Structures are given as structure tokens and as C-alpha cells.
Amino acid sequence: MIFPLLVMVVLTFAVAAFLLFTRVNAVRSGAVKFSYFRLMQGEAPDNVLAASRHFENLFQMPVLFYAAAVLAIAGNLQSNFLIGLAWIFVIARAVHTVIHLTSNNINQRLTAFLVSNAALLVMWLVIGWHFF
């Protein structure tokens, strides 16, 4: 279970680096003023907005993944099924990230989002069943 957990952390830091790169490039190119980032008010290019929103999104549902993974580790619930669900979640989130930060195809993004959330829900059901 630790490897999917670590990969999710790496994905989060990779998106943070991408966000920084995107923001710096937007300021350097003159697409956005540096002062925009003080309160995030005004106009910003779509790629800056998408990267910002995606980074924020990584602190929503993935938080439930982190909690489930830590609970599974602490409760010694590391079955192949649960680890498989964790990998499905992480891979679907990585696919979601690539889609959101490139083509931003909403149908593809929604599919990846639903797959990740379904895997996470089943993880919590398995963990809950064990403790129930």
C-alpha cells in the first residue's frame, strides 16, 4: 500500500512544480501581471487557471485516499484487492491530471474522475467492512 501512496505524493509535487512553471512563464510572457497572484483577482490565461484548479483538486478527494491508505497500513489490511484499488485510484488520478493539464477533454476527464472515485469508494467500503 505504501507504493501507491508514495506515487500519489509524487504526482502532487509534480503538479505543484508544473503550476510554478506555468505561473512563472505566464508572468515572463506578460500574459499575467505578478500582482495577480496576490489575491488571484483579474484575468489569467486558461492554462494558469487549469493548473491552479488542478492543484487545489489534489487536496480534495485524494485526502480521503491518503486517509484510507494510512488506515489500511495501520490496520494491516493490505490485501491484493485493496492494493489493486489503490493503484486504480492513483493511475486514474494521474490520467485525470494529464487530461486536465493538456487537452482538457471533459468526457475523458470525467471518466478518469469517476473511475478514481469508484475505486476510492470501494476502498472505504472494504476498510469499513473490516472494522465493522
Side-chain angles (χ1 to χ4, degrees), residues 2 4 10 16 28 49 52 60 63 72 88 107 120 125 129:
I2 192 74
V10 168
R28 283 186 179 160
L49 294 174
S52 296
Q60 295 169 1
V63 171
I88 290 169
N107 288 329
L120 183 58
L125 291 173
W129 179 260

PDB file of all heavy atoms in Angstrom, residues 2 4 10 16 28 49 52 60 63 72 88 107 120 125 129:
ATOM      1  N   ILE A   2       2.078   1.132   0.480  1.00  0.00           N
ATOM      2  CA  ILE A   2       2.932   2.320   0.574  1.00  0.00           C
ATOM      3  C   ILE A   2       3.316   2.867  -0.801  1.00  0.00           C
ATOM      4  O   ILE A   2       3.427   4.082  -0.973  1.00  0.00           O
ATOM      5  CB  ILE A   2       4.190   2.032   1.449  1.00  0.00           C
ATOM      6  CG1 ILE A   2       4.924   3.333   1.801  1.00  0.00           C
ATOM      7  CG2 ILE A   2       5.144   1.078   0.759  1.00  0.00           C
ATOM      8  CD1 ILE A   2       4.227   4.157   2.817  1.00  0.00           C
ATOM      9  N   PRO A   4       1.557   2.916  -3.830  1.00  0.00           N
ATOM     10  CA  PRO A   4       0.561   3.825  -4.404  1.00  0.00           C
ATOM     11  C   PRO A   4       0.481   5.146  -3.643  1.00  0.00           C
ATOM     12  O   PRO A   4       0.309   6.208  -4.244  1.00  0.00           O
ATOM     13  CB  PRO A   4      -0.755   3.054  -4.302  1.00  0.00           C
ATOM     14  CG  PRO A   4      -0.408   1.657  -4.012  1.00  0.00           C
ATOM     15  CD  PRO A   4       0.979   1.634  -3.462  1.00  0.00           C
ATOM     16  N   VAL A  10       4.106  11.911  -5.087  1.00  0.00           N
ATOM     17  CA  VAL A  10       4.958  12.377  -6.191  1.00  0.00           C
ATOM     18  C   VAL A  10       4.117  13.122  -7.228  1.00  0.00           C
ATOM     19  O   VAL A  10       4.525  14.169  -7.735  1.00  0.00           O
ATOM     20  CB  VAL A  10       5.737  11.198  -6.825  1.00  0.00           C
ATOM     21  CG1 VAL A  10       6.382  11.606  -8.134  1.00  0.00           C
ATOM     22  CG2 VAL A  10       6.771  10.663  -5.846  1.00  0.00           C
ATOM     23  N   ALA A  16       2.534  20.526  -8.473  1.00  0.00           N
ATOM     24  CA  ALA A  16       2.988  21.772  -7.845  1.00  0.00           C
ATOM     25  C   ALA A  16       4.112  22.401  -8.665  1.00  0.00           C
ATOM     26  O   ALA A  16       4.122  23.616  -8.891  1.00  0.00           O
ATOM     27  CB  ALA A  16       3.448  21.512  -6.416  1.00  0.00           C
ATOM     28  N   ARG A  28       6.454  35.933 -17.103  1.00  0.00           N
ATOM     29  CA  ARG A  28       7.549  36.299 -18.017  1.00  0.00           C
ATOM     30  C   ARG A  28       7.048  36.703 -19.397  1.00  0.00           C
ATOM     31  O   ARG A  28       7.605  37.601 -20.030  1.00  0.00           O
ATOM     32  CB  ARG A  28       8.532  35.140 -18.154  1.00  0.00           C
ATOM     33  CG  ARG A  28       9.439  34.996 -16.975  1.00  0.00           C
ATOM     34  CD  ARG A  28      10.483  33.948 -17.216  1.00  0.00           C
ATOM     35  NE  ARG A  28      11.370  33.844 -16.071  1.00  0.00           N
ATOM     36  CZ  ARG A  28      12.117  32.820 -15.799  1.00  0.00           C
ATOM     37  NH1 ARG A  28      12.115  31.762 -16.614  1.00  0.00           N
ATOM     38  NH2 ARG A  28      12.895  32.804 -14.741  1.00  0.00           N
ATOM     39  N   LEU A  49      -5.111  28.978 -14.940  1.00  0.00           N
ATOM     40  CA  LEU A  49      -6.302  28.645 -14.159  1.00  0.00           C
ATOM     41  C   LEU A  49      -6.473  27.144 -14.004  1.00  0.00           C
ATOM     42  O   LEU A  49      -6.771  26.648 -12.915  1.00  0.00           O
ATOM     43  CB  LEU A  49      -7.547  29.252 -14.806  1.00  0.00           C
ATOM     44  CG  LEU A  49      -7.612  30.778 -14.819  1.00  0.00           C
ATOM     45  CD1 LEU A  49      -8.825  31.249 -15.612  1.00  0.00           C
ATOM     46  CD2 LEU A  49      -7.631  31.337 -13.411  1.00  0.00           C
ATOM     47  N   SER A  52      -3.895  25.773 -11.558  1.00  0.00           N
ATOM     48  CA  SER A  52      -4.249  26.167 -10.187  1.00  0.00           C
ATOM     49  C   SER A  52      -5.404  25.336  -9.658  1.00  0.00           C
ATOM     50  O   SER A  52      -5.354  24.830  -8.532  1.00  0.00           O
ATOM     51  CB  SER A  52      -4.634  27.649 -10.142  1.00  0.00           C
ATOM     52  OG  SER A  52      -3.546  28.462 -10.480  1.00  0.00           O
ATOM     53  N   GLN A  60      -8.528  17.506  -2.336  1.00  0.00           N
ATOM     54  CA  GLN A  60      -9.930  17.207  -2.072  1.00  0.00           C
ATOM     55  C   GLN A  60     -10.097  15.695  -1.935  1.00  0.00           C
ATOM     56  O   GLN A  60      -9.812  15.154  -0.868  1.00  0.00           O
ATOM     57  CB  GLN A  60     -10.807  17.819  -3.160  1.00  0.00           C
ATOM     58  CG  GLN A  60     -10.734  19.345  -3.151  1.00  0.00           C
ATOM     59  CD  GLN A  60     -11.369  20.002  -4.356  1.00  0.00           C
ATOM     60  OE1 GLN A  60     -11.903  19.345  -5.243  1.00  0.00           O
ATOM     61  NE2 GLN A  60     -11.304  21.314  -4.409  1.00  0.00           N
ATOM     62  N   VAL A  63      -7.315  13.389  -0.407  1.00  0.00           N
ATOM     63  CA  VAL A  63      -7.150  13.377   1.046  1.00  0.00           C
ATOM     64  C   VAL A  63      -7.828  12.137   1.627  1.00  0.00           C
ATOM     65  O   VAL A  63      -7.298  11.493   2.541  1.00  0.00           O
ATOM     66  CB  VAL A  63      -7.696  14.680   1.672  1.00  0.00           C
ATOM     67  CG1 VAL A  63      -7.740  14.578   3.183  1.00  0.00           C
ATOM     68  CG2 VAL A  63      -6.846  15.862   1.237  1.00  0.00           C
ATOM     69  N   ALA A  72      -5.406   1.565   6.177  1.00  0.00           N
ATOM     70  CA  ALA A  72      -5.161   0.195   5.724  1.00  0.00           C
ATOM     71  C   ALA A  72      -3.798  -0.305   6.197  1.00  0.00           C
ATOM     72  O   ALA A  72      -3.664  -1.455   6.633  1.00  0.00           O
ATOM     73  CB  ALA A  72      -5.247   0.119   4.197  1.00  0.00           C
ATOM     74  N   ILE A  88      -5.523   1.556  -8.869  1.00  0.00           N
ATOM     75  CA  ILE A  88      -6.534   2.073  -9.804  1.00  0.00           C
ATOM     76  C   ILE A  88      -6.801   3.542  -9.514  1.00  0.00           C
ATOM     77  O   ILE A  88      -6.856   4.372 -10.425  1.00  0.00           O
ATOM     78  CB  ILE A  88      -7.831   1.242  -9.726  1.00  0.00           C
ATOM     79  CG1 ILE A  88      -7.605  -0.140 -10.327  1.00  0.00           C
ATOM     80  CG2 ILE A  88      -8.989   1.965 -10.436  1.00  0.00           C
ATOM     81  CD1 ILE A  88      -8.732  -1.120 -10.072  1.00  0.00           C
ATOM     82  N   ASN A 107     -15.150  14.832 -21.285  1.00  0.00           N
ATOM     83  CA  ASN A 107     -15.653  13.459 -21.197  1.00  0.00           C
ATOM     84  C   ASN A 107     -14.570  12.504 -20.682  1.00  0.00           C
ATOM     85  O   ASN A 107     -14.837  11.663 -19.824  1.00  0.00           O
ATOM     86  CB  ASN A 107     -16.194  12.979 -22.545  1.00  0.00           C
ATOM     87  CG  ASN A 107     -17.508  13.651 -22.895  1.00  0.00           C
ATOM     88  OD1 ASN A 107     -18.298  13.994 -22.029  1.00  0.00           O
ATOM     89  ND2 ASN A 107     -17.730  13.857 -24.181  1.00  0.00           N
ATOM     90  N   LEU A 120     -11.920   4.564  -4.914  1.00  0.00           N
ATOM     91  CA  LEU A 120     -11.800   5.093  -3.553  1.00  0.00           C
ATOM     92  C   LEU A 120     -12.998   4.687  -2.690  1.00  0.00           C
ATOM     93  O   LEU A 120     -12.835   4.291  -1.530  1.00  0.00           O
ATOM     94  CB  LEU A 120     -11.664   6.612  -3.589  1.00  0.00           C
ATOM     95  CG  LEU A 120     -11.459   7.324  -2.266  1.00  0.00           C
ATOM     96  CD1 LEU A 120     -10.207   6.812  -1.550  1.00  0.00           C
ATOM     97  CD2 LEU A 120     -11.373   8.823  -2.495  1.00  0.00           C
ATOM     98  N   LEU A 125     -15.286   1.104   1.540  1.00  0.00           N
ATOM     99  CA  LEU A 125     -16.240   0.049   1.890  1.00  0.00           C
ATOM    100  C   LEU A 125     -15.519  -1.182   2.429  1.00  0.00           C
ATOM    101  O   LEU A 125     -15.956  -1.778   3.420  1.00  0.00           O
ATOM    102  CB  LEU A 125     -17.103  -0.316   0.684  1.00  0.00           C
ATOM    103  CG  LEU A 125     -18.109   0.752   0.237  1.00  0.00           C
ATOM    104  CD1 LEU A 125     -18.776   0.337  -1.067  1.00  0.00           C
ATOM    105  CD2 LEU A 125     -19.133   1.029   1.325  1.00  0.00           C
ATOM    106  N   TRP A 129     -15.907  -2.397   6.152  1.00  0.00           N
ATOM    107  CA  TRP A 129     -16.396  -3.765   6.393  1.00  0.00           C
ATOM    108  C   TRP A 129     -15.477  -4.498   7.372  1.00  0.00           C
ATOM    109  O   TRP A 129     -15.943  -5.194   8.252  1.00  0.00           O
ATOM    110  CB  TRP A 129     -16.488  -4.517   5.075  1.00  0.00           C
ATOM    111  CG  TRP A 129     -16.959  -5.916   5.242  1.00  0.00           C
ATOM    112  CD1 TRP A 129     -16.219  -7.050   5.257  1.00  0.00           C
ATOM    113  CD2 TRP A 129     -18.306  -6.333   5.454  1.00  0.00           C
ATOM    114  NE1 TRP A 129     -17.004  -8.151   5.460  1.00  0.00           N
ATOM    115  CE2 TRP A 129     -18.307  -7.727   5.583  1.00  0.00           C
ATOM    116  CE3 TRP A 129     -19.523  -5.662   5.557  1.00  0.00           C
ATOM    117  CZ2 TRP A 129     -19.471  -8.463   5.803  1.00  0.00           C
ATOM    118  CZ3 TRP A 129     -20.673  -6.387   5.771  1.00  0.00           C
ATOM    119  CH2 TRP A 129     -20.625  -7.768   5.888  1.00  0.00           C
TER     120      TRP A 129
END
